[in-house]
Amino acid sequence: MAANVFTGAISVNSNVAGNWSLLAVPLTGDGNVATWNATSPNCTINAAFACNGADFTGYTGTLTRTSTFACNGNLTLIAALLTAGAGTLTMNGTGTITTNGYTWGNGFLFAGTSATYTFADPCNISGLTTFSYTTTMTLNGSATNKLIMSGGLTVSASTGMTLGTADLNITG
């Protein structure tokens, strides 16, 4: 997979092809990872955005979400990530979630069909966590690399959930 880096060459909006290093807005299934790095300016998710994977390693700008943001693969956040807006982040396909100490402050939706989510480190969510899936969902981690939910939990599923190796802490 290639990194498709947000350059902000034209504007701060994520839905403008010229704002990305590959001159195309990242899409689910395009084989590229939406990447925000140290050279990326502030970015606004201003239209429904769904990408193969998202990587914020080294990002120093602010990510503002005024629309939906879906990640269908690996998600890498950073402790110093600055976010604004109230948009929910949706994990919509199998992937590894690495937070590097960041706490997601808005809604976080685990969705998809037969998806497996692996926590590389503790995943803290202070907004509402929702599990919504059509078949099975597996959560993998450890006693240390667990899902910590302080903003509440909603479960909407048509079939079973497999806890896998992850510990879940619900404090809200």
Side-chain angles (χ1 to χ4, degrees):
M1 287 189 192
N4 192 358
V5 179
F6 184 77
T7 65
I10 297 172
S11 69
V12 298
N13 296 327
S14 63
N15 69 333
V16 176
N19 283 335
W20 294 93
S21 62
L22 299 178
L23 301 177
V25 175
L27 299 171
T28 301
D30 68 3
N32 302 313
V33 175
T35 302
W36 291 263
N37 62 24
T39 65
S40 299
N42 293 339
C43 177
T44 299
I45 307 285
N46 64 318
F49 187 82
C51 57
N52 240 14
D55 185 352
F56 290 91
T57 303
Y59 185 53
T60 59
T62 298
L63 179 70
T64 302
R65 295 159 338 278
T66 60
S67 191
T68 59
F69 178 27
C71 181
N72 292 8
N74 296 337
L75 172 66
T76 303
L77 303 171
I78 58 170
L81 182 63
L82 300 173
T83 61
T88 294
L89 173 59
T90 301
M91 290 298 293
N92 208 18
T94 294
T96 297
I97 300 168
T98 307
T99 65
N100 292 303
Y102 182 76
T103 296
W104 188 261
N106 296 107
F108 201 109
L109 170 63
F110 291 89
T113 302
S114 299
T116 298
Y117 302 105
T118 302
F119 304 111
D121 56 6
C123 181
N124 288 286
I125 302 170
S126 63
L128 178 65
T129 302
T130 303
F131 295 143
S132 178
Y133 46 92
T134 55
T135 57
T136 59
M137 180 175 70
T138 303
L139 302 175
N140 288 326
S142 66
T144 304
N145 299 343
K146 58 189 164 192
L147 178 58
I148 303 163
M149 300 164 281
S150 60
L153 172 64
T154 299
V155 178
S156 170
S158 60
T159 61
M161 176 177 153
T162 303
L163 190 52
T165 59
D167 281 2
L168 303 181
N169 287 7
I170 304 171
T171 62

